[in-house]
Amino acid sequence: MYLSIEVTVMESNNFIKYREQLPALKKSIYLNTGGSGPLPIPILEEIKSTYEYLATEGQILIPVVNNMKAKAEKVRNTIASFLGASPEEISFTRCITEGINTIAYAMDLQRGDEVIISDQENPAFILPFLNLVHIKGIKVKKLKIENSIEKIIQNLKEIINTKTKLIALSHVTHVSGIQLPVTEICNIAHSMGILVAVDGAQACGQVDVNVKFLGCDFYLMTCHKWLCGPEGVGAMYIDEKTLGKIRPPFTGVGAQESFDFENDIIVFHDNAKKFEFGGRHLPLYHAMGKAIEFNAQIGINNIVKRSRELAENLRYRLKGLKGLNIISPENKELSTGIFTFFIENADHELIVRRAAEKNIIIQWRTIDLIKKTKGIRVSLAWFITDEEIETLTDFIEKTIKG
Ligand SMILES: Cc1ncc(COP(=O)(O)O)c(C=O)c1O
């Protein structure tokens, strides 16, 4: 059973009502949701009330434990709806990095096997594979990302081959914010028997996600960025066709249906729960459900539309500033609320610190991991106003003019 989440349609000025739910916006111009989003009051209240319940009732009492678990299962359904999957395909994780490590080791890669990652991946999707270069002798190939679907596909075809076992890349990259052509990439990969794992850190809560439409085998999400939830909770989608073929590489209590100590047998859950083990922070998973609901109230179509408007506005204002180069794609199909640029001969880390002194919260990023060049990343979430864009542009303009 695949669930789908309802979307609302809203006039853009109605964002105010939701913006008022974000106390952090009173203190600063919050342009680093790509790092971590501002926590809304309903999510804060959810966390507080769960802890009050645990403290008052006693967190080990059987009815309390059962209530906490039952609510977590409802959250699993919410996550499944949000991703367009079935609840059996959803595993709770602590973060994206945990999910991709699980996948990397579950695949049992062998010496000589190849993994393709993009050249705009977060260390979360790079380090586990670089580690396997040393542990298992695999080879990591880097897919060059350009602001054109045709060029990305052409670059992929140049490096993919019969040794490729996995393609691991972002749905939306944390560097330029380009929305990668995941469906096209999955079609090519699957025609060669290759699996695809997608990092949804920068996508969930800012673009529409439907894993069945994307066609990927694995999709990883985290809660603390565009969903504006707490950090340290996430989820992993594993397509039902792949689920039965892979064994958990790490395990412990919670993963098993049963085990037989005498005969060394584990019977795992026959769904994605088999990847869950050990203590889980259930109050924060409940808050994750709330964060998804909050996001759904605003409506993903409204969010996408607003981010694009903001990106166009910022591009219009920054275009033509001397020495400023925008690296995010202009093409609407590829662009998102992540807007990245670099200023020739500038100290980008210093610019970020100076902006923070004026309560403008932006982030620097390494935009080329080989050349180690840096740039500024601006996260244009739905709650940003046109006035805030104006303040940012004035700051950048003054910085350039000295
Ligand atoms: C694209 C991307 N992937 C993964 C991560 C890390 O996610 P997590 O902390 O859930 O492992 C980040 C955040 O920094 C990111 O931007």
Side-chain angles (χ1 to χ4, degrees), residues 196-211:
V196 181
V198 181
D199 179 343
Q202 301 293 346
C204 291
Q206 83 145 330
V207 302
D208 197 10
V209 180
N210 183 306
V211 289

Side-chain angles (χ1 to χ4, degrees), residues 194-252:
I194 299 163
L195 300 182
V196 181
V198 181
D199 179 343
Q202 301 293 346
C204 291
Q206 83 145 330
V207 302
D208 197 10
V209 180
N210 183 306
V211 289
K212 297 298 170 187
F213 173 75
L214 292 173
C216 53
D217 304 280
F218 308 98
Y219 193 96
L220 299 161
M221 65 182 284
T222 192
C223 190
H224 66 290
K225 294 177 186 289
W226 300 83
L227 284 169
C228 298
E231 187 165 10
V233 282
M236 168 168 68
Y237 155 81
I238 306 153
D239 182 81
E240 60 183 353
K241 294 191 282 303
T242 306
L243 197 51
K245 295 183 196 151
I246 54 172
R247 188 181 178 92
F250 325 107
T251 195

Side-chain angles (χ1 to χ4, degrees), residues 53-333:
Y53 170 66
L54 291 175
T56 317
E57 301 297 326
Q59 53 188 0
I60 196 58
L61 270 68
I62 291 169
V64 176
V65 171
N66 287 344
N67 280 343
M68 292 295 288
K69 285 189 177 166
K71 199 161 172 191
E73 289 311 310
K74 282 195 185 144
V75 174
R76 194 188 302 279
N77 289 344
T78 305
I79 294 170
S81 305
F82 176 73
L83 295 176
S86 97
E88 287 71 31
E89 295 169 307
I90 303 298
S91 169
F92 288 128
T93 60
R94 296 171 178 96
C95 60
I96 287 192
T97 314
E98 180 188 271
I100 192 63
N101 270 287
T102 304
I103 294 163
Y105 287 89
M107 284 193 60
D108 196 22
L109 298 165
Q110 300 298 324
R111 177 167 294 280
D113 284 347
E114 294 186 1
V115 172
I116 294 177
I117 60 175
S118 95
D119 66 358
Q120 286 197 19
E121 290 314 306
N122 184 274
F125 255 48
I126 300 175
L127 301 188
F129 297 110
L130 294 191
N131 203 24
L132 284 174
V133 168
H134 299 280
I135 294 175
K136 293 265 187 131
I138 69 157
K139 188 167 181 186
V140 174
K141 284 189 164 171
K142 289 127 193 165
L143 170 64
K144 185 170 164 49
I145 301 300
E146 300 181 67
N147 286 346
S148 141
I149 294 180
E150 292 71 30
K151 284 190 181 152
I152 294 170
I153 297 298
Q154 192 188 325
N155 295 343
L156 176 66
K157 286 183 177 165
E158 281 166 20
I159 56 172
I160 201 167
N161 63 43
T162 51
K163 290 189 218 143
T164 312
K165 293 289 178 297
L166 178 72
I167 300 176
L169 35 64
S170 294
H171 189 181
V172 171
T173 75
H174 77 129
V175 177
S176 71
I178 183 173
Q179 191 170 174
L180 294 179
V182 174
T183 306
E184 290 87 332
I185 290 171
C186 289
N187 287 341
I188 294 170
H190 291 162
S191 72
M192 297 172 71
I194 299 163
L195 300 182
V196 181
V198 181
D199 179 343
Q202 301 293 346
C204 291
Q206 83 145 330
V207 302
D208 197 10
V209 180
N210 183 306
V211 289
K212 297 298 170 187
F213 173 75
L214 292 173
C216 53
D217 304 280
F218 308 98
Y219 193 96
L220 299 161
M221 65 182 284
T222 192
C223 190
H224 66 290
K225 294 177 186 289
W226 300 83
L227 284 169
C228 298
E231 187 165 10
V233 282
M236 168 168 68
Y237 155 81
I238 306 153
D239 182 81
E240 60 183 353
K241 294 191 282 303
T242 306
L243 197 51
K245 295 183 196 151
I246 54 172
R247 188 181 178 92
F250 325 107
T251 195
V253 71
Q256 86 285 11
E257 202 68 59
S258 63
F259 70 97
D260 176 346
F261 193 49
E262 196 181 347
N263 297 302
D264 302 342
I265 291 168
I266 310 174
V267 180
F268 286 110
H269 289 301
D270 66 353
N271 53 39
K273 264 184 174 173
K274 71 179 178 183
F275 292 99
E276 293 171 14
F277 57 87
R280 301 271 146 176
H281 201 142
L282 294 190
L284 295 191
Y285 286 107
H286 296 178
M288 184 170 176
K290 246 312 188 257
I292 293 172
E293 282 162 22
F294 185 77
N295 191 266
Q297 277 167 21
I298 305 164
I300 195 67
N301 293 343
N302 300 315
I303 291 171
V304 170
K305 187 165 165 270
R306 182 63 186 148
S307 295
R308 282 198 182 136
E309 274 169 18
L310 289 164
E312 273 172 29
N313 183 354
L314 185 57
R315 182 178 293 274
Y316 174 76
R317 286 169 182 274
L318 293 182
K319 231 177 183 175
L321 283 186
K322 199 160 169 274
L324 188 145
N325 299 275
I326 299 166
I327 68 157
S328 297
E330 192 162 4
N331 177 342
K332 278 195 180 162
E333 297 301 306

Side-chain angles (χ1 to χ4, degrees), residues 16-35:
I16 309 271
K17 165 170 131 199
Y18 295 100
R19 192 185 144 93
E20 281 165 358
Q21 304 282 308
L22 307 171
L25 304 190
K26 294 199 171 65
K27 299 213 162 175
S28 52
I29 301 184
Y30 204 109
L31 294 160
N32 191 12
T33 293

